[in-house]
Amino acid sequence: MSRVNEGAAWTILGYLISGPLFWGGIGWALDKWLVTGYFLPIGLLLGMGAALYLVWLRFGREG
Amino acid sequence: MRSMFSFRAEGSEFIPPSSKDFVLPPIFGDNEFTTKPIFLVIFSVVIISIFFIAASRKASIVPSKLQFAGESVYAYVRNDLGKDIIGHEFMRFVPYLFTLFVFILTNNIFGIVPLIQFPTMSRISFAYVLGIITFGVFHYVGIRHHGIFKYLKDILFMPGVPKPVYILLTPIEIATYLIVRPLTISLRLFANMFAGHLLLMIFILGGEHLLQGAIGLKLVSPFAFAFGIAITFFEFLVQCLQAYIFTLLTALYIGGALADEH
Amino acid sequence: MTGTLNLVGYGLAAIGPGLAVGMIFAAYINGVARQPEARSVLQPIAFLGFAMAEALALFGLVLAFVL
């Protein structure tokens, strides 16, 4: 059971990549659509925040 | 002084190796299914089969050297990657993990074997196929074990979160499980093999190019070759490590799909 | 020579998180080596710290491509 945690680093990296990828992608598409410039940074920050929250939910609680 | 470190012939410019050097021409005619990587894959299957059939044919209690070599690889994959990570149902997956490990290891080591010197996995399609197989295996195993609805619910809805936050989190989970996992597992293998082969080519081709220069450059070229040899040993380490990591991640994903909760 | 300076910038930006991840796990290993029973307390902290540091590196990676 202890070695399952060995995969924690890989799982965290996966979340951290896919969070900004998804929400940043949506922000990028909104920027293209509405011809604005501020949705991409918002999406990136939102995605990274959500990914960090997910990491905390999975690995940070109780321990 | 200047002439000691220059190239005599004009236009003998150094062409650095690039990703074009990985696109090898077909060996027989125009059939693009007869390139070197394809033959390497077939060759690796042949030598793996011969090795393990020979190692297991006259199995005895006091093992021969060959049997010992084969069995220690098998025992390593079964105990360290299978039993420790997947848990009590690990025996079902040992054949897959073992095949994966030996196949990737052999194909990686082709990168430093003299006369072959091409890691098959530096062509990305091979790495993609392995990633897709692993992706199929761990989702299939999870769906069979939990039933499709419970499996999807486990993936998509992290427990203990207020409901509106799911709008934020669920797309990330979907992206992680369906896109990022198979993509990163193949890209990691591919990128390591690609970069390693490129590095070797730079030092060996650069050393060879220095030999064509004036006397000062000729004296420098042995250092490039020596560093190329050092990098070769380093590459051996990286190749074993990447085969291990690919198998480890496969085992972790299968173990995660079988686990009862997160 | 052709190419984009963004990638040089990303290379420089990756130094910091690289050092940070190394220091976090060095401290974690140190702590567990001194007091093995503290492992379950230290592990979530180490992984959260790792996630924070890695997040900065990934920001750099994304911005190197989109800017």
Side-chain angles (χ1 to χ4, degrees):
Chain A
M1 199 58 202
S2 68
R3 287 203 61 189
V4 175
N5 281 325
E6 217 171 83
W10 304 112
T11 315
I12 289 172
L13 200 60
Y15 281 142
L16 293 180
I17 290 172
S18 45
L21 204 69
F22 184 82
W23 288 108
I26 285 183
W28 180 81
L30 279 177
D31 272 351
K32 281 274 163 189
W33 183 40
L34 301 171
V35 200
T36 49
Y38 48 84
F39 278 115
L40 175 64
I42 291 175
L44 283 179
L45 288 173
L46 190 72
M48 195 58 93
L52 285 174
Y53 181 48
L54 209 53
V55 170
W56 181 78
L57 282 175
R58 181 167 283 191
F59 297 103
R61 287 188 297 192
E62 85 263 46
Chain B
M1 188 65 200
R2 185 102 191 277
S3 64
M4 269 180 74
F5 292 99
S6 65
F7 292 99
R8 241 165 263 141
E10 285 296 318
S12 66
E13 204 177 323
F14 179 57
I15 304 160
S18 68
S19 59
K20 291 188 189 71
D21 291 324
F22 289 82
V23 184
L24 299 172
I27 296 174
F28 298 116
D30 286 338
N31 187 351
E32 55 188 34
F33 286 101
T34 60
T35 55
K36 189 177 176 184
I38 303 259
F39 282 115
L40 286 183
V41 166
I42 297 169
F43 182 55
S44 74
V45 171
V46 171
I47 59 172
I48 293 167
S49 310
I50 290 174
F51 176 75
F52 282 103
I53 288 171
S56 63
R57 208 175 52 170
K58 275 179 273 168
S60 59
I61 296 180
V62 181
S64 62
K65 271 180 190 159
L66 197 63
Q67 190 192 343
F68 178 73
E71 279 180 357
S72 50
V73 176
Y74 174 73
Y76 176 71
V77 174
R78 188 188 66 184
N79 296 334
D80 281 24
L81 293 173
K83 196 198 271 174
D84 286 359
I85 291 172
I86 297 180
H88 58 276
E89 280 186 83
F90 72 99
M91 232 20 224
R92 277 200 289 152
F93 305 106
V94 168
Y96 177 58
L97 294 179
F98 181 63
T99 313
L100 202 58
F101 180 73
V102 178
F103 180 72
I104 296 175
L105 185 64
T106 313
N107 275 299
N108 284 353
I109 285 180
F110 280 158
I112 57 166
V113 173
L115 301 180
I116 300 177
Q117 279 172 330
F118 189 83
T120 321
M121 297 302 159
S122 65
R123 301 293 293 150
I124 195 164
S125 23
F126 294 101
Y128 274 154
V129 169
L130 291 176
I132 289 170
I133 296 173
T134 287
F135 172 76
V137 164
F138 86 83
H139 279 305
Y140 177 74
V141 162
I143 290 171
R144 279 292 299 272
H145 187 76
H146 293 293
I148 186 158
F149 290 109
K150 188 174 178 304
Y151 181 64
L152 285 179
K153 190 176 145 283
D154 274 356
I155 285 181
L156 300 184
F157 299 109
M158 180 70 67
V161 182
K163 284 232 159 47
V165 185
Y166 282 132
I167 302 170
L168 208 60
L169 297 187
T170 303
I172 298 179
E173 297 267 20
I174 296 174
T176 306
Y177 276 85
L178 295 186
I179 299 166
V180 171
R181 273 190 169 188
L183 200 66
T184 49
I185 196 178
S186 350
L187 277 181
R188 191 174 292 123
L189 178 61
F190 155 75
N192 274 284
M193 291 307 107
F194 183 84
H197 194 56
L198 209 58
L199 204 59
L200 280 177
M201 280 203 291
I202 284 178
F203 280 108
I204 302 298
L205 291 180
E208 191 206 358
H209 188 71
L210 287 176
L211 272 183
Q212 295 160 5
I215 180 72
L217 292 177
K218 277 195 175 64
L219 286 177
V220 180
S221 76
F223 292 104
F225 283 125
F227 212 77
I229 292 167
I231 290 283
T232 305
F233 287 109
F234 175 71
E235 270 308 299
F236 177 69
L237 199 72
V238 172
Q239 284 157 350
C240 296
L241 193 70
Q242 287 308 314
Y244 168 75
I245 285 179
F246 198 99
T247 322
L248 174 77
L249 281 175
T250 303
L252 282 168
Y253 291 166
I254 292 174
L258 283 176
D260 287 327
E261 26 73 76
H262 286 305
Chain C
M1 289 245 289
T2 55
T4 162
L5 267 180
N6 282 1
L7 293 178
V8 179
Y10 173 56
L12 291 173
I15 294 174
L19 286 174
V21 170
M23 284 166 76
I24 287 163
F25 279 109
Y28 170 61
I29 293 167
N30 237 323
V32 174
R34 280 165 191 247
Q35 204 173 347
E37 64 271 24
R39 187 194 188 107
S40 60
V41 182
L42 292 179
Q43 198 161 33
I45 303 173
F47 279 130
L48 284 180
F50 163 74
M52 297 286 178
E54 196 63 34
L56 294 177
L58 290 173
F59 267 132
L61 177 66
V62 172
L63 292 178
F65 280 108
V66 297
L67 280 188

